[in-house]
Amino acid sequence: MERQAVLTKDKALKFWAVVDEAALRRVVGGPAVMSAQLEHLRRMVKAPNITLQVIPFSAGAHPGMPGQFVLMDFEDPMDTDLIYIDSMAGDLFLESDADISRYKAIFDNLVAVAHSPNDSASLIREVANDVKAKGG
């Protein structure tokens, strides 16, 4: 909850996430927990500093399939951009120009194959309604 506070404070961080549709449809923690999580997403995507896009199943294979990563870029030009990868092998931080460029290109590709933010919000509502109808 403390980490989420950076998204709602006075000078909130900008957050742009691209997630696979499977993350919305795989029920984790049971229907009630999943329903609450989807409702939280529905509320959060209305914030002006948050962009959420969903890659639909229909997009097929995409460059984000090998695993998640976080691209952190900073307003201060003295702060180096970072790529953070959390894997079963441990945490990894990448900061070389080549790595940053490669992951920025991957992110741009993911944004291009994902639904628009509005269409993504509609899909989240649809999935939330499906989960509720099944007892969530």
Side-chain angles (χ1 to χ4, degrees), residues 22-134:
L24 301 179
R25 295 201 181 269
R26 182 170 292 114
V27 178
V28 176
V33 170
M34 195 66 185
S35 184
Q37 290 178 348
L38 290 166
E39 287 302 319
H40 179 71
L41 283 179
R42 284 177 57 173
R43 286 190 306 275
M44 294 302 290
V45 298
K46 294 176 184 176
N49 60 310
I50 296 175
T51 303
L52 176 62
Q53 291 182 259
V54 179
I55 300 173
F57 288 140
S58 62
H62 57 78
M65 292 179 69
Q68 67 182 5
F69 64 93
V70 177
L71 167 60
M72 294 179 271
D73 59 356
F74 303 96
E75 289 182 21
D76 187 339
M78 297 302 292
D79 291 330
T80 305
D81 292 349
L82 291 172
I83 304 296
Y84 170 69
I85 301 170
D86 178 20
S87 73
M88 290 172 56
D91 299 342
L92 181 62
F93 287 92
L94 306 175
E95 55 186 287
S96 74
D97 289 342
D99 288 330
I100 300 295
S101 294
R102 182 165 42 100
Y103 277 90
K104 281 184 177 182
I106 291 168
F107 185 77
D108 289 345
N109 184 284
L110 295 174
V111 166
V113 300
H115 283 316
S116 70
N118 286 339
D119 289 345
S120 295
S122 294
L123 180 59
I124 291 167
R125 276 191 302 276
E126 175 188 316
V127 174
N129 291 336
D130 289 348
V131 171
K132 277 187 182 179
K134 295 176 183 172

Side-chain angles (χ1 to χ4, degrees), residues 6-7 11-16 48-51 73 75:
V6 299
L7 299 176
K11 191 174 181 192
L13 293 179
K14 292 181 183 176
F15 182 75
W16 189 342
N49 60 310
I50 296 175
T51 303
D73 59 356
E75 289 182 21

